[in-house]
Amino acid sequence: MSAQSHPPSHYSSLAPFREWFEEGNPILAYHKVGPRPRRVRLKGLYISSKLFAAQLAELTSAGFRSGFLGDCSGPSKPRQIVLTFDDGYVNVLQHAIEALSQTRFQAIQFLPVNFLGKSNKWDVAVGEAPESIMDADQVRDWLAAMHDIGSHTLTHPFLTRLSIDKAREEIFASKKKLEDVFGRAIEHFCYPYGDWNPQIRDLVVESGYRTACTTNFGVNSVDVSLFELKRITARYPSRNWKSLREWLRPSRRSLGSGP
């Protein structure tokens, strides 16, 4: 793809990305689906149920189907795409399940284990609006709908700001807790805030996960590690993209973060 036709920095519709998706294996990153409450700072982390349904319908019409995270580091797999959701918000269960079912797409939720049944306290602490996170029964409903779950650590920290021992606990213990509660192997990990470095990545590998997702922008190919998978944030068009981009930018998160 030529530099002039490089896609925008976030995903709202297929047209600007269609050619680019043919060059690698795309992963879309979502957070919240449904109405935005008041006092929301990062409006771009919300997407309406109508736009979400339209995005899936467009992908379906273009022949796309669900791919698998474990297949993303390799040759391009035509018309396959992976849908990921960070943080396990209840509004995804409420407002996204129907569209996923109608289009037969499967998705994965990355869960901050110690916040199940609670709220996004890590965001509220910096002025964001509270949102409920799924409890164990709601996660089981998600799984019963043929979707998957992965780990987003225990407490959603900046991993590179922790000691190695604390980071190890966040990565290892979250995997074990999810496996104990839901009786299934937890194979996929997502770095909170996209905050990682080689030491953190190596802990993820050591713990037995098969993949790890970043917030690095792009599609995946043979030269991308399964533990440094790139994603594209899905959202609605807005002039507030600048603040969301700043929140996702590695340099803002930590000097020790990955590229």
Side-chain angles (χ1 to χ4, degrees):
M1 175 172 279
S2 67
Q4 289 183 339
S5 57
H6 194 281
S9 52
H10 61 275
Y11 182 90
S12 291
S13 62
L14 179 60
F17 289 87
R18 187 186 297 267
E19 181 182 347
W20 205 47
F21 282 179
E22 295 176 0
E23 300 179 2
N25 301 305
I27 303 172
L28 295 183
Y30 292 90
H31 283 78
K32 306 164 187 175
V33 181
R36 293 195 312 269
R38 294 182 178 180
R39 297 194 304 109
V40 170
R41 292 192 308 116
L42 299 174
K43 295 180 173 63
L45 293 183
Y46 287 80
I47 185 171
S48 71
S49 56
K50 181 177 180 180
L51 178 55
F52 181 69
Q55 289 178 346
L56 298 194
E58 183 181 39
L59 288 168
T60 300
S61 297
F64 281 84
R65 62 193 185 280
S66 291
F68 301 95
L69 288 171
D71 293 337
C72 285
S73 177
S76 176
K77 296 165 182 65
R79 300 294 193 273
Q80 291 193 24
I81 192 166
V82 178
L83 307 180
T84 67
F85 289 87
D86 291 6
D87 303 333
Y89 291 109
V90 171
N91 56 35
V92 174
L93 191 66
Q94 295 171 330
H95 301 290
I97 281 285
E98 183 176 354
L100 289 165
S101 176
Q102 290 175 348
T103 54
R104 299 185 179 181
F105 274 106
Q106 293 174 305
I108 182 169
Q109 278 272 13
F110 291 111
L111 303 173
V113 185
N114 286 0
F115 290 110
L116 294 184
K118 300 177 183 178
S119 64
N120 55 333
K121 294 182 180 179
W122 65 90
D123 277 340
V124 173
V126 293
E128 187 56 281
E131 281 287 358
S132 297
I133 294 173
M134 291 189 289
D135 60 25
D137 286 339
Q138 290 168 321
V139 173
R140 292 187 182 96
D141 290 341
W142 173 261
L143 293 171
M146 305 305 294
H147 302 298
D148 201 0
I149 58 173
S151 170
H152 209 28
T153 70
L154 295 172
T155 63
H156 204 286
F158 289 88
L159 286 169
T160 66
R161 300 179 184 178
L162 302 180
S163 70
I164 287 297
D165 287 343
K166 288 289 187 181
R168 179 187 296 273
E169 181 182 2
E170 290 279 347
I171 294 165
F172 279 67
S174 59
K175 185 178 193 296
K176 186 178 188 306
K177 281 191 174 184
L178 287 173
E179 290 176 340
D180 288 348
V181 171
F182 299 107
R184 59 191 288 133
I186 300 299
E187 299 181 327
H188 307 291
F189 184 81
C190 181
Y191 305 103
Y193 309 100
D195 180 47
W196 66 279
N197 59 25
Q199 291 74 31
I200 296 299
R201 179 201 58 211
D202 290 348
L203 288 176
V204 175
V205 175
E206 181 185 342
S207 68
Y209 295 98
R210 291 181 56 211
T211 73
C213 286
T214 72
T215 57
N216 298 341
F217 179 85
V219 293
N220 300 282
S221 59
V222 292
D223 61 345
V224 177
S225 166
L226 280 172
F227 296 92
E228 302 172 17
L229 292 175
K230 301 175 182 179
R231 296 190 295 172
I232 301 164
T233 298
R235 65 186 303 281
Y236 67 92
S238 169
R239 288 172 294 189
N240 289 326
W241 168 246
K242 181 178 179 181
S243 61
L244 177 59
R245 183 176 57 197
E246 175 71 11
W247 185 82
L248 293 171
R249 195 176 66 190
S251 61
R252 180 255 188 214
R253 295 189 300 267
S254 171
L255 294 176
S257 298

Short mmCIF file of all heavy atoms in Angstrom, two decimals, residues 209-235:
data_model
loop_
_atom_site.label_atom_id
_atom_site.label_comp_id
_atom_site.label_asym_id
_atom_site.label_seq_id
_atom_site.Cartn_x
_atom_site.Cartn_y
_atom_site.Cartn_z
N TYR A 209 1.22 -18.37 28.47
CA TYR A 209 0.29 -17.83 27.48
C TYR A 209 0.80 -18.13 26.07
O TYR A 209 2.00 -18.32 25.85
CB TYR A 209 0.16 -16.31 27.63
CG TYR A 209 -0.46 -15.84 28.92
CD1 TYR A 209 0.34 -15.42 29.98
CD2 TYR A 209 -1.84 -15.79 29.08
CE1 TYR A 209 -0.21 -14.97 31.17
CE2 TYR A 209 -2.41 -15.34 30.26
CZ TYR A 209 -1.59 -14.93 31.31
OH TYR A 209 -2.15 -14.49 32.49
N ARG A 210 -0.10 -18.14 25.11
CA ARG A 210 0.28 -18.37 23.71
C ARG A 210 0.44 -17.08 22.93
O ARG A 210 1.17 -17.04 21.94
CB ARG A 210 -0.78 -19.24 23.01
CG ARG A 210 -0.83 -20.68 23.49
CD ARG A 210 -1.87 -21.45 22.72
NE ARG A 210 -1.60 -21.37 21.29
CZ ARG A 210 -2.56 -21.39 20.34
NH1 ARG A 210 -3.83 -21.46 20.68
NH2 ARG A 210 -2.23 -21.33 19.07
N THR A 211 -0.27 -16.01 23.36
CA THR A 211 -0.18 -14.73 22.66
C THR A 211 -0.30 -13.59 23.66
O THR A 211 -0.76 -13.77 24.79
CB THR A 211 -1.31 -14.54 21.62
OG1 THR A 211 -2.56 -14.29 22.30
CG2 THR A 211 -1.45 -15.76 20.71
N ALA A 212 0.08 -12.39 23.22
CA ALA A 212 -0.15 -11.17 24.01
C ALA A 212 -0.40 -10.01 23.05
O ALA A 212 0.31 -9.84 22.06
CB ALA A 212 1.05 -10.86 24.91
N CYS A 213 -1.40 -9.22 23.36
CA CYS A 213 -1.78 -8.07 22.53
C CYS A 213 -1.24 -6.77 23.10
O CYS A 213 -1.27 -6.54 24.32
CB CYS A 213 -3.31 -7.97 22.43
SG CYS A 213 -4.05 -9.22 21.37
N THR A 214 -0.79 -5.90 22.22
CA THR A 214 -0.34 -4.56 22.56
C THR A 214 -1.37 -3.55 22.08
O THR A 214 -2.43 -3.91 21.56
CB THR A 214 1.02 -4.26 21.90
OG1 THR A 214 0.82 -4.08 20.49
CG2 THR A 214 2.01 -5.39 22.12
N THR A 215 -1.04 -2.27 22.22
CA THR A 215 -1.82 -1.21 21.56
C THR A 215 -1.05 -0.65 20.37
O THR A 215 -1.43 0.38 19.82
CB THR A 215 -2.15 -0.08 22.54
OG1 THR A 215 -0.94 0.44 23.10
CG2 THR A 215 -3.05 -0.56 23.67
N ASN A 216 0.04 -1.29 19.97
CA ASN A 216 0.80 -0.83 18.81
C ASN A 216 -0.06 -0.94 17.56
O ASN A 216 -0.70 -1.97 17.33
CB ASN A 216 2.08 -1.65 18.64
CG ASN A 216 3.02 -1.51 19.82
OD1 ASN A 216 2.91 -0.58 20.60
ND2 ASN A 216 3.94 -2.45 19.95
N PHE A 217 -0.06 0.10 16.76
CA PHE A 217 -0.93 0.17 15.59
C PHE A 217 -0.36 -0.64 14.43
O PHE A 217 0.84 -0.58 14.14
CB PHE A 217 -1.10 1.63 15.16
CG PHE A 217 -1.95 1.82 13.95
CD1 PHE A 217 -3.33 1.90 14.07
CD2 PHE A 217 -1.39 1.92 12.69
CE1 PHE A 217 -4.13 2.08 12.95
CE2 PHE A 217 -2.17 2.10 11.57
CZ PHE A 217 -3.55 2.17 11.70
N GLY A 218 -1.23 -1.39 13.76
CA GLY A 218 -0.80 -2.08 12.55
C GLY A 218 -1.50 -3.41 12.37
O GLY A 218 -2.33 -3.83 13.19
N VAL A 219 -1.19 -4.08 11.26
CA VAL A 219 -1.63 -5.44 11.02
C VAL A 219 -0.43 -6.36 11.26
O VAL A 219 0.72 -5.92 11.26
CB VAL A 219 -2.19 -5.63 9.61
CG1 VAL A 219 -3.49 -4.84 9.43
CG2 VAL A 219 -1.17 -5.21 8.54
N ASN A 220 -0.71 -7.64 11.46
CA ASN A 220 0.32 -8.59 11.86
C ASN A 220 0.74 -9.49 10.71
O ASN A 220 -0.06 -9.82 9.84
CB ASN A 220 -0.20 -9.42 13.03
CG ASN A 220 -0.56 -8.57 14.22
OD1 ASN A 220 0.31 -8.13 14.96
ND2 ASN A 220 -1.86 -8.30 14.39
N SER A 221 2.02 -9.88 10.73
CA SER A 221 2.57 -10.72 9.69
C SER A 221 3.67 -11.59 10.27
O SER A 221 3.83 -11.66 11.49
CB SER A 221 3.10 -9.85 8.54
OG SER A 221 4.09 -8.97 9.03
N VAL A 222 4.44 -12.23 9.42
CA VAL A 222 5.45 -13.17 9.89
C VAL A 222 6.53 -12.49 10.74
O VAL A 222 7.19 -13.16 11.54
CB VAL A 222 6.12 -13.89 8.70
CG1 VAL A 222 5.13 -14.81 8.02
CG2 VAL A 222 6.69 -12.89 7.71
N ASP A 223 6.72 -11.20 10.59
CA ASP A 223 7.78 -10.52 11.34
C ASP A 223 7.29 -9.95 12.67
O ASP A 223 8.03 -9.23 13.34
CB ASP A 223 8.40 -9.41 10.49
CG ASP A 223 7.40 -8.35 10.08
OD1 ASP A 223 6.19 -8.59 10.21
OD2 ASP A 223 7.84 -7.26 9.63
N VAL A 224 6.07 -10.26 13.07
CA VAL A 224 5.51 -9.77 14.34
C VAL A 224 5.42 -10.94 15.31
O VAL A 224 4.84 -11.98 15.00
CB VAL A 224 4.13 -9.13 14.13
CG1 VAL A 224 3.52 -8.71 15.47
CG2 VAL A 224 4.22 -7.94 13.20
N SER A 225 5.98 -10.76 16.50
CA SER A 225 5.94 -11.81 17.52
C SER A 225 4.51 -12.02 18.02
O SER A 225 3.71 -11.08 18.12
CB SER A 225 6.83 -11.41 18.70
OG SER A 225 6.57 -12.22 19.84
N LEU A 226 4.19 -13.27 18.35
CA LEU A 226 2.89 -13.58 18.95
C LEU A 226 2.70 -12.88 20.29
O LEU A 226 1.58 -12.78 20.78
CB LEU A 226 2.73 -15.09 19.13
CG LEU A 226 2.34 -15.89 17.89
CD1 LEU A 226 2.42 -17.39 18.19
CD2 LEU A 226 0.94 -15.52 17.40
N PHE A 227 3.79 -12.39 20.88
CA PHE A 227 3.70 -11.72 22.18
C PHE A 227 3.84 -10.20 22.06
O PHE A 227 4.01 -9.51 23.06
CB PHE A 227 4.74 -12.30 23.13
CG PHE A 227 4.48 -13.76 23.43
CD1 PHE A 227 5.07 -14.74 22.66
CD2 PHE A 227 3.61 -14.12 24.43
CE1 PHE A 227 4.80 -16.09 22.91
CE2 PHE A 227 3.34 -15.45 24.69
CZ PHE A 227 3.94 -16.44 23.92
N GLU A 228 3.75 -9.71 20.81
CA GLU A 228 3.78 -8.27 20.54
C GLU A 228 2.76 -7.94 19.45
O GLU A 228 3.00 -7.12 18.56
CB GLU A 228 5.18 -7.86 20.09
CG GLU A 228 6.28 -8.17 21.08
CD GLU A 228 7.67 -7.93 20.54
OE1 GLU A 228 7.80 -7.22 19.51
OE2 GLU A 228 8.64 -8.44 21.13
N LEU A 229 1.58 -8.58 19.52
CA LEU A 229 0.59 -8.43 18.46
C LEU A 229 0.07 -6.99 18.39
O LEU A 229 -0.25 -6.37 19.41
CB LEU A 229 -0.57 -9.40 18.68
CG LEU A 229 -0.23 -10.89 18.49
CD1 LEU A 229 -1.43 -11.75 18.85
CD2 LEU A 229 0.25 -11.17 17.07
N LYS A 230 -0.02 -6.50 17.18
CA LYS A 230 -0.52 -5.15 16.93
C LYS A 230 -2.05 -5.17 16.84
O LYS A 230 -2.65 -6.17 16.44
CB LYS A 230 0.06 -4.61 15.63
CG LYS A 230 1.58 -4.54 15.61
CD LYS A 230 2.08 -4.10 14.24
CE LYS A 230 3.59 -4.06 14.18
NZ LYS A 230 4.09 -3.66 12.84
N ARG A 231 -2.65 -4.03 17.18
CA ARG A 231 -4.11 -3.90 17.06
C ARG A 231 -4.46 -2.52 16.52
O ARG A 231 -3.67 -1.59 16.56
CB ARG A 231 -4.78 -4.11 18.42
CG ARG A 231 -4.61 -5.50 19.00
CD ARG A 231 -5.49 -5.73 20.20
NE ARG A 231 -5.12 -4.87 21.33
CZ ARG A 231 -5.84 -4.75 22.45
NH1 ARG A 231 -6.97 -5.41 22.58
NH2 ARG A 231 -5.42 -3.97 23.43
N ILE A 232 -5.70 -2.41 16.07
CA ILE A 232 -6.25 -1.15 15.57
C ILE A 232 -7.47 -0.81 16.42
O ILE A 232 -8.41 -1.61 16.52
CB ILE A 232 -6.64 -1.26 14.09
CG1 ILE A 232 -5.42 -1.65 13.25
CG2 ILE A 232 -7.27 0.04 13.59
CD1 ILE A 232 -5.77 -2.15 11.86
N THR A 233 -7.45 0.34 17.06
CA THR A 233 -8.57 0.75 17.90
C THR A 233 -9.78 1.08 17.04
O THR A 233 -9.70 1.87 16.10
CB THR A 233 -8.19 1.97 18.74
OG1 THR A 233 -7.12 1.62 19.62
CG2 THR A 233 -9.38 2.45 19.58
N ALA A 234 -10.91 0.47 17.38
CA ALA A 234 -12.17 0.73 16.68
C ALA A 234 -12.97 1.76 17.46
O ALA A 234 -13.12 1.65 18.68
CB ALA A 234 -12.97 -0.56 16.53
N ARG A 235 -13.48 2.76 16.76
CA ARG A 235 -14.23 3.83 17.42
C ARG A 235 -15.02 4.59 16.38
O ARG A 235 -14.94 4.30 15.20
CB ARG A 235 -13.27 4.76 18.16
CG ARG A 235 -12.33 5.51 17.22
CD ARG A 235 -11.29 6.32 17.95
NE ARG A 235 -11.86 7.27 18.87
CZ ARG A 235 -12.38 8.44 18.51
NH1 ARG A 235 -12.39 8.80 17.24
NH2 ARG A 235 -12.86 9.26 19.41
#
